[in-house]
Amino acid sequence: MKLAAMHLRQRDTVTCGPAVAVVAGALLDPAYREQLTGNAAGRAWFAGEQGRVHHQVNRVWPRKLGTTPMGVARAMSAHSGARGVRYRWRLCWGRRDAMADVLADVDAQWPVAMLVGRIIPRHWVLIVETKGDVLRCYEPSSGEVRSVDVAAVRGARLRGLGFPRAFAFVLPRRRHSNV
C-alpha cells in the first residue's frame, strides 16, 4: 500500500484517532484495505469510515475531545484480531523509554499508533515503518508520511507531527512477554 501517495486526511479536527485506526486497519486487513483507494470513492469511504469508527469507540467519551488510547486500541484490534493479536496502550516514558517494543513491532509489520501533544495529549499519528533510528509516521492532518528520529520521540523534540511530545503508544499485545 503506497500510503504517502494516497494523501489520506482526517475529515475534521477531532478524527485523527479514527483516521489512524482506519489506516492501521487497512495495513492489517487486506479485505478492509480494498475499500481504501486513492480515487474519489475511496476518499469518500475513508471520510465515512472515520465517522463510523469515531462513533463506535467513543460511546461514553465525548467525541469533541477526540479518541482515547483505549478507543484507538479497540479500533485497531478490530482488524488484528483475525491474526490472533489484540492492541493495547502504554505510556511513553520519555528519555527512559527504550521503545524496544515499538521498534520491534513496527519492524515486524505491525503499525503502532502514537499520541502526541505539548502539555496535554492532542493528536494521533501512526508509525508505519522504521529505518534505523528513524520512524516513518502517517500524519493524518496532512495525509503525509513524515520521518522523525527515535531520539526526538524520547527527548520530546518531535517536528513535523504537529506537537513535540509523545504521551502514549498503542501497540500489539505481546504473546510471550514478561512486560
Side-chain angles (χ1 to χ4, degrees):
M1 185 168 128
K2 298 194 185 277
L3 188 57
M6 297 178 83
H7 301 290
L8 300 169
R9 296 181 68 179
Q10 67 189 68
R11 71 183 206 168
D12 56 39
T13 60
V14 296
T15 54
C16 55
V20 159
V22 172
V23 169
L27 293 170
L28 294 167
D29 181 348
Y32 190 67
R33 180 172 44 241
E34 288 178 9
Q35 302 296 317
L36 192 59
T37 63
N39 63 26
R43 283 190 290 278
W45 176 85
F46 182 61
E49 189 66 358
Q50 289 174 57
R52 187 193 69 77
V53 168
H54 205 196
H55 178 74
Q56 182 180 18
V57 300
N58 283 15
R59 294 197 186 270
V60 176
W61 184 255
R63 282 190 285 281
K64 67 181 178 180
L65 297 178
T67 309
T68 66
M70 292 169 286
V72 170
R74 189 168 55 245
M76 290 173 71
S77 292
H79 298 283
S80 66
R83 293 168 63 181
V85 173
R86 307 270 320 151
Y87 272 77
R88 64 170 173 89
W89 74 278
R90 74 162 179 86
L91 293 173
C92 176
W93 298 105
R95 295 185 195 286
R96 298 177 295 147
D97 198 329
M99 294 177 50
D101 53 351
V102 172
L103 298 171
D105 289 334
V106 175
D107 282 341
Q109 306 298 306
W110 293 99
V112 172
M114 179 170 59
L115 180 59
V116 299
R118 189 172 314 279
I119 296 169
I120 60 171
R122 304 277 306 179
H123 187 57
W124 285 101
V125 299
L126 187 67
I127 305 168
V128 296
E129 184 181 13
T130 62
K131 291 187 178 195
D133 283 343
V134 175
L135 306 175
R136 300 279 295 148
C137 301
Y138 162 67
E139 195 287 304
S141 67
S142 67
E144 296 176 357
V145 177
R146 299 180 175 171
S147 297
V148 297
D149 290 333
V150 172
V153 176
R154 290 183 186 125
R157 296 182 325 266
L158 291 170
R159 293 179 189 256
L161 301 181
F163 298 94
R165 179 176 172 214
F167 282 86
F169 299 103
V170 174
L171 60 168
R173 183 173 304 193
R174 297 213 174 275
R175 293 182 200 129
H176 306 290
S177 175
N178 295 333
V179 180

